[in-house]
Amino acid sequence: MVARWVGFALVVGLAAAGASAAVADITASAAASFSQAGLDQISNYMRREIATGKIPGAMLLIQQHGKPVYYQKFGLRDVPAKLPMTDDTIFRLYSMSKPITAVAAMMLVDDGKLSLDDPVAKYIPAFADVKVGVEKRDESGKQALILEPLQRPITVLDLLRQTSGLTYGFYGEGAVRKLYAHSDLYSGEFDNAEFAARLAKLPLVEQPGRVWDYGHSIDVLGRVIEVVSGKSLFEFEKERLLDPLGMTDTAFYVADETKRPLIAQFMPNDLLPSIAGIKDPTEHSRWESGGAGMVGTLGDYARFAQMLLNGGTLDGKRYLKPETVALMTSDHIGPGSGIAYTYLYFLGTHSGYGLGLAVITSPPPHNRWQAGEYGWDGVAGTFFYVDPKDDLFVLCMMQTPSHRGEIETELPILIGRAMRH
């Protein structure tokens, strides 16, 4: 599951009701930063991926200086039904939900209602008694799981930077991950409160603040948001972030039956199994997974990405303080942080992690990546990255679990080659 960023798994011009007209207006001044031949190579690459049967279709937007430089729709959103990609196609975001939840939490920080230093147990008391699972050999030499007390509380900062000790059960080895995999975490109907309570009964895989470990941290953050705001996660996000931004098709499932044919589907032979409890996006669920549960359109997420690129504003409205965006997009786990990387560190040697976002820290040679770029992705194939130095972002929407890694690696290289520097 390694690509440019790990995901679970990364517009001013895009009005909620007028994405098609907006993205079609690709101005000469914006496109001047790119060569047409280079952009054509991007299109040719995507068409080859479709022609060879790797992906059903995709949508790709490059936006610079607040204007679309490149916007193309490729292939089909539903192969058996022969339905084309359209501006209103809806995608499963999976882990691209995480940056949205992180922004919602940081809005509460900006409001003074939440502190990064707050213990999670302040809002979810069950986490005061959580234990850490350590594998040791007993007197007979047999491996055993020993439960040790917390050396310090889990904090809100730990949730945001994935250093809480919470993990996922669908990857890796070890006794704690096996407990996750064979627990009742996803059994029956449950909401964020019940899910957090179930997690608190399981041991942590590491002591808080010690190791970056990809897991359910942002799901617990979603519950913290509920407790602080007095609203469900979706109610709070809809009121403070989604509706004001014009992200009207972003939600935890597709409630409108007439819009369900708009959902992009995988290739018939590329079905994604239920990962971390996420189910069919047409089914109503009481659980609003802030870490992986959202669906949305390219137009919606483009507005979110542009808001971040603008330093927290869009269309004259401020969502985050500029210093808050800077904090979110700075590396919090690098040298001097005291945080270690496990053998399961997916981000690679060139990336660190901010608050809900991966951050490029040391670009490899002969690559267009730049220090300070940030973004995230989702296990079904969506990804975005923001490049503050060139004042642009890239957003790709596709549903291709099997081939997303290679495409997510190749596209930024082609985009870099197309840029004029």
Side-chain angles (χ1 to χ4, degrees):
M1 52 189 295
V2 179
R4 180 185 175 90
W5 321 100
V6 65
F8 167 54
L10 255 177
V11 146
V12 169
L14 288 176
S20 177
V23 293
D25 182 22
I26 299 178
T27 65
S29 60
S33 296
F34 290 80
S35 73
Q36 188 58 52
L39 295 177
D40 289 343
Q41 288 299 313
I42 296 169
S43 299
N44 292 338
Y45 170 75
M46 295 303 293
R47 293 187 183 107
R48 284 196 302 271
E49 296 301 286
I50 293 169
T52 54
K54 291 182 179 179
I55 62 174
M59 298 173 68
L60 179 61
L61 171 68
I62 305 170
Q63 182 145 303
Q64 187 176 40
H65 310 317
K67 297 180 183 296
V69 172
Y70 176 96
Y71 175 64
Q72 292 289 334
K73 300 182 287 289
F74 302 96
L76 304 174
R77 68 170 182 261
D78 187 327
V79 171
K82 296 182 172 58
L83 296 175
M85 283 288 178
T86 52
D87 295 321
D88 52 2
T89 296
I90 297 171
F91 298 84
R92 301 163 179 86
L93 299 178
Y94 284 96
S95 279
M96 253 173 50
S97 309
K98 287 180 171 69
I100 295 174
T101 307
V103 165
M106 296 307 291
M107 293 176 81
L108 289 171
V109 172
D110 279 357
D111 291 343
K113 296 179 179 179
L114 183 65
S115 170
L116 296 180
D117 296 327
D118 283 343
V120 172
K122 177 179 178 180
Y123 307 103
I124 311 174
F127 277 97
D129 301 319
V130 73
K131 299 292 190 277
V132 180
V134 180
E135 294 184 59
K136 295 182 178 180
R137 295 193 181 279
D138 59 21
E139 295 178 356
S140 66
K142 186 178 180 181
Q143 197 83 355
L145 183 66
I146 308 300
L147 299 183
E148 297 183 349
L150 294 177
Q151 294 176 1
R152 71 154 176 81
I154 305 169
T155 65
V156 171
L157 176 60
D158 287 320
L159 297 180
L160 279 157
R161 68 184 182 182
Q162 299 274 357
T163 58
S164 65
L166 293 162
T167 189
Y168 283 131
F170 64 86
Y171 71 88
E173 301 295 331
V176 172
R177 296 182 200 279
K178 288 179 181 178
L179 283 177
Y180 269 70
H182 297 99
S183 71
D184 66 348
L185 269 179
Y186 315 119
S187 298
E189 273 294 305
F190 55 92
D191 57 12
N192 281 349
E194 172 61 23
F195 188 68
R198 292 179 182 183
L199 279 171
K201 294 176 183 177
L202 295 170
L204 303 178
V205 73
E206 299 102 2
Q207 288 285 347
R210 294 279 189 85
V211 178
W212 187 90
D213 201 309
Y214 197 53
H216 281 297
S217 291
I218 303 296
D219 287 318
V220 175
L221 183 67
R223 176 56 186 162
V224 171
I225 291 170
E226 292 183 337
V227 175
V228 174
S229 69
K231 304 175 186 293
S232 75
L233 178 59
F234 184 56
E235 287 172 344
F236 177 77
E237 290 179 337
K238 186 174 174 61
E239 177 184 310
R240 290 290 305 276
L241 184 64
L242 302 178
D243 281 357
L245 271 175
M247 298 174 67
T248 54
D249 286 313
T250 303
F252 287 97
Y253 77 106
V254 182
D256 186 345
E257 292 185 6
T258 65
K259 291 188 175 183
R260 290 176 181 173
L262 297 172
I263 299 172
Q265 304 297 332
F266 309 122
M267 293 291 282
N269 60 349
D270 194 20
L271 297 178
L272 184 69
S274 177
I275 289 183
I278 305 303
K279 300 177 182 177
D280 190 320
T282 65
E283 295 180 10
H284 174 260
S285 174
R286 292 172 56 219
W287 183 36
E288 296 173 354
S289 168
M294 303 194 91
V295 298
T297 62
L298 179 140
D300 278 10
Y301 215 94
R303 292 184 63 80
F304 177 77
Q306 185 69 56
M307 180 272 292
L308 290 175
L309 178 57
N310 290 351
T313 65
L314 187 68
D315 296 339
K317 179 176 175 58
R318 179 160 294 283
Y319 297 86
L320 291 173
K321 297 175 182 177
E323 55 266 34
T324 301
V325 176
L327 184 69
M328 294 183 69
T329 58
S330 301
D331 181 26
H332 287 258
I333 63 171
S337 67
I339 296 168
Y341 306 153
T342 70
Y343 73 100
L344 293 170
Y345 182 64
F346 303 120
L347 296 174
T349 58
H350 303 291
S351 298
Y353 196 77
L355 306 182
L357 295 155
V359 183
I360 297 293
T361 53
S362 55
H366 312 299
N367 193 298
R368 75 149 301 273
W369 298 357
Q370 301 189 84
E373 288 185 20
Y374 59 88
W376 204 241
D377 64 3
V379 73
T382 59
F383 73 90
F384 83 110
Y385 64 90
V386 176
D387 176 359
K389 290 183 180 178
D390 285 317
D391 190 28
L392 68 80
F393 70 84
V394 172
L395 174 59
C396 182
M397 295 294 213
M398 54 186 177
Q399 304 282 250
T400 175
S402 296
H403 296 284
R404 72 183 186 93
E406 60 199 77
I407 296 171
E408 189 174 344
T409 299
E410 184 65 20
L411 273 178
I413 294 173
L414 293 173
I415 292 168
R417 290 173 183 167
M419 294 183 69
R420 296 189 176 111
H421 284 294

